[in-house]
């Protein structure tokens, strides 16, 4: 029997929400979640595991993450006086930003389609989410954004740059117009920075209402869960009050410190992925019945017409390949799928399998 206290106690927005679905990927070639397909050379793994032995797991972790803070300031060449905070993935940082909003300023905006967590977390927190549709070619509809900003006065605007799932990075001038028009915060989410090789970091200097978010997930440490938020200390010190004091465990801190010192390894992997992305894009666009979009991230969005995305997705799984099906996610994503750039062998297998599915339909 269903306990009716559940529906009385849990808020309607949570009851109505669909849980973020993570598909079972065991035994499959995993090209659905923008992970880096490469691991580390054996000697680096040994060095890393030696570092981990320093962890004092009987103690709470360093709540201020002081070592990581100073290592990142150097490694990322952060503008002077930039404050930073860390999240258990950037998902947690998005949640913290939304949790901080004043009850009277509860509109959250993002162009759509974009990263689903902006909408999902906003609605679970009973905030008003305004999604402004992109143009059909997935470029930013600047007039619509500006009109919507003037009308709804959003407290926060999230911009994924490059955007997920479309892979493009919106025009920088348009983003600055949005920042100028915004009555509140603009969060530039640079999750795919390593693959775009450009940043809006300089906006932190120029505009007091900008925060910049990054993650180590796409660069090669999805299992670590480390998101970073940068900006003026006026904002960061308020948001940091909502962060649970020990949200980043000791093993994660040690691992992050270690990898920041070896960041060139991940940067070389990102370079390989960028090269393979271009090859994958060329090959995909040449398959009859496929429309692919150029990407500045580590994935490619593409559309299939016959058979539709649902069928292609299912057939790929039957042949042990998991990609992301975006059918139904947004009207602009009709029959669209998203494939993460894998190793050259994985990409090759994906292309030949897709080709044979399309040929046999
Ligand atoms: C634009 C964007 N931001 C943030 C995230 C979440 O990253 P993390 O693994 O740091 O929570 C994703 C993940 O797909 C993303 O696409």
């Amino acid at each position: 029997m269903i306990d009716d206290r559940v529906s009385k106690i849990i808020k309607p927005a949570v009851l109505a929400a669909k849980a973020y679905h993570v598909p079972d990927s065991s035994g499959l070639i995993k090209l659905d979640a923008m992970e880096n397909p490469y691991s580390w050379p054996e000697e680096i793994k040994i060095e890393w595991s030696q570092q981990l032995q320093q962890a004092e797991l009987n103690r709470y972790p360093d709540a201020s993450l002081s070592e990581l803070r100073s290592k990142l300031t150097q490694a990322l060449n952060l503008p002077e006086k930039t404050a930073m905070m860390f999240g258990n993935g950037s998902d947690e940082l998005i949640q913290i930003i939304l949790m901080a909003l004043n009850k009277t300023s509860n509109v959250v905006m993002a162009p759509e389609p974009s990263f689903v967590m902006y909408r999902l977390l906003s609605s679970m927190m009973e905030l008003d989410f305004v999604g402004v549709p992109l143009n059909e070619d997935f470029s930013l509809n600047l007039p619509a954004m500006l009109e919507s900003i003037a009308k709804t006065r959003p407290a926060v605007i999230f911009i994924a740059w490059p955007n997920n799932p479309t892979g493009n990075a919106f025009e920088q001038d348009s983003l600055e117009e949005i920042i100028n028009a915004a009555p509140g915060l603009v969060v530039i989410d640079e999750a795919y920075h390593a693959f775009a090789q450009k940043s809006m970091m300089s906006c932190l200097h120029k505009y007091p209402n900008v925060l910049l978010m990054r993650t180590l997930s796409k660069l090669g440490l999805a299992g670590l869960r480390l998101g970073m938020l940068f900006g003026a200390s006026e904002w960061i010190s308020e948001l940091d009050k909502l962060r649970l004091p020990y949200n980043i465990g000791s093993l994660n801190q040690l691992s992050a410190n270690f990898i920041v010192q070896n960041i060139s390894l991940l940067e070389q992997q990102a370079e390989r992925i960028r090269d393979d992305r271009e090859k994958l894009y060329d090959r995909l666009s040449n398959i009859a019945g496929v429309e692919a979009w150029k990407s500045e991230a580590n994935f490619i969005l593409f559309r299939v017409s016959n058979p539709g995305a649902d069928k292609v997705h299912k057939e790929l799984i039957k042949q042990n390949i998991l990609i992301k099906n975006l059918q139904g996610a947004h009207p602009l994503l009709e029959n669209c799928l998203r494939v993460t750039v894998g190793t050259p062998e994985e990409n090759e297998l994906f292309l030949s399998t897709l080709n044979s599915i399309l040929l046999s339909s």
Side-chain angles (χ1 to χ4, degrees):
M1 197 181 83
I2 297 171
D3 190 329
D4 68 357
R5 282 170 293 191
V6 173
S7 56
K8 288 199 183 109
I9 299 293
I10 306 292
K11 58 180 170 184
V14 175
L15 292 172
K18 276 202 187 125
Y20 184 83
H21 174 63
V22 180
D24 179 12
S25 59
S26 33
L28 303 181
I29 294 173
K30 203 169 176 310
L31 300 175
D32 66 325
M34 289 77 96
E35 291 145 324
N36 173 338
Y38 301 109
S39 70
W40 302 346
E42 217 40 49
E43 67 275 13
I44 297 278
K45 280 189 187 163
I46 292 169
E47 233 185 282
W48 166 64
S49 57
Q50 282 163 351
Q51 294 273 319
L52 290 186
Q53 285 168 29
Q54 292 175 12
E56 291 185 26
L57 290 181
N58 55 320
R59 302 284 176 203
Y60 281 106
D62 173 3
S64 66
L65 295 100
S66 47
E67 195 174 339
L68 185 57
R69 213 171 270 280
S70 72
K71 289 208 162 94
L72 274 175
T73 306
Q74 280 180 354
L76 299 181
N77 231 335
L78 290 180
E80 229 182 293
K81 295 207 184 123
T82 306
M84 69 177 102
M85 67 181 280
F86 300 96
N88 186 17
S90 35
D91 285 347
E92 189 185 39
L93 293 167
I94 299 167
Q95 188 181 44
I96 287 175
I97 294 166
L98 296 175
M99 262 165 30
L101 298 187
N102 195 328
K103 266 193 185 154
T104 55
S105 58
N106 63 353
V107 175
V108 180
M109 181 181 290
E112 277 195 318
S114 190
F115 182 42
V116 290
M117 279 295 168
Y118 308 144
R119 178 186 275 275
L120 191 78
L121 291 173
S122 298
S123 58
M124 288 222 221
M125 283 186 228
E126 299 179 317
L127 299 165
D128 265 342
F129 184 85
V130 177
V132 181
L134 295 172
N135 294 315
E136 291 228 330
D137 63 355
F138 302 125
S139 60
L140 196 68
N141 186 340
L142 184 62
M145 283 294 289
L146 294 176
E147 196 187 315
S148 198
I149 290 170
K151 203 161 115 197
T152 65
R153 312 293 295 158
V156 188
I157 303 173
F158 286 99
I159 308 274
W161 198 73
N163 189 37
N164 170 16
T166 56
N168 55 328
F170 307 127
E171 293 288 316
Q172 208 156 332
D173 290 350
S174 306
L175 296 191
E176 295 203 35
E177 279 197 54
I178 287 171
I179 294 167
N180 277 314
L185 257 183
V186 178
V187 179
I188 311 282
D189 180 350
E190 292 190 351
Y192 300 97
H193 165 255
F195 312 102
Q197 289 185 291
K198 56 188 180 193
S199 174
M200 301 262 302
M201 188 73 91
S202 62
C203 285
L204 292 183
H205 256 326
K206 257 166 107 179
Y207 304 104
N209 61 333
V210 170
L211 295 178
L212 192 126
M213 196 159 64
R214 295 241 182 115
T215 174
L216 293 185
S217 297
K218 316 300 173 182
L219 187 59
L221 296 165
L224 193 65
R225 309 299 297 131
L226 193 84
M228 298 156 277
L229 188 66
F230 305 105
S233 60
E234 287 92 329
W235 291 107
I236 299 288
S237 57
E238 296 306 323
L239 295 171
D240 204 40
K241 293 177 191 169
L242 285 160
R243 182 179 66 84
L244 297 174
Y246 303 114
N247 67 332
I248 312 292
S250 308
L251 295 175
N252 285 5
Q253 291 194 34
L254 277 167
S255 302
N257 294 340
F258 174 77
I259 204 61
V260 171
Q261 274 171 319
N262 290 278
I263 202 83
S264 60
L265 169 67
L266 298 182
E267 285 168 354
Q268 281 161 21
Q269 293 179 342
E271 193 180 334
R272 256 162 104 175
I273 293 169
R274 287 197 302 269
D275 284 350
D276 290 335
R277 172 190 68 201
E278 296 311 303
K279 291 179 192 141
L280 182 59
Y281 170 78
D282 288 343
R283 296 275 304 280
L284 250 182
S285 341
N286 279 323
I287 298 179
V290 171
E291 182 184 9
W293 282 271
K294 261 219 154 305
S295 166
E296 295 195 59
N298 62 340
F299 57 83
I300 295 176
L301 181 76
F302 66 99
R303 175 173 284 140
V304 286
S305 36
N306 179 36
D310 286 343
K311 180 94 193 291
V312 167
H313 185 247
K314 266 197 207 120
E315 289 298 317
L316 283 168
I317 291 180
K318 271 193 206 154
Q319 303 195 47
N320 288 339
I321 298 174
L322 181 64
I323 66 169
K324 178 82 177 174
N325 182 8
L326 293 159
Q327 174 65 32
H330 189 275
L332 288 172
L333 295 173
E334 181 76 20
N335 279 323
C336 282
L337 299 134
R338 186 192 65 203
V339 61
T340 304
V341 181
T343 61
E345 298 73 30
E346 288 171 337
N347 300 338
E348 201 53 53
L349 195 63
F350 157 72
L351 284 163
S352 58
T353 312
L354 176 68
N355 219 343
S356 63
I357 293 169
L358 295 179
L359 281 176
S360 64
S361 69

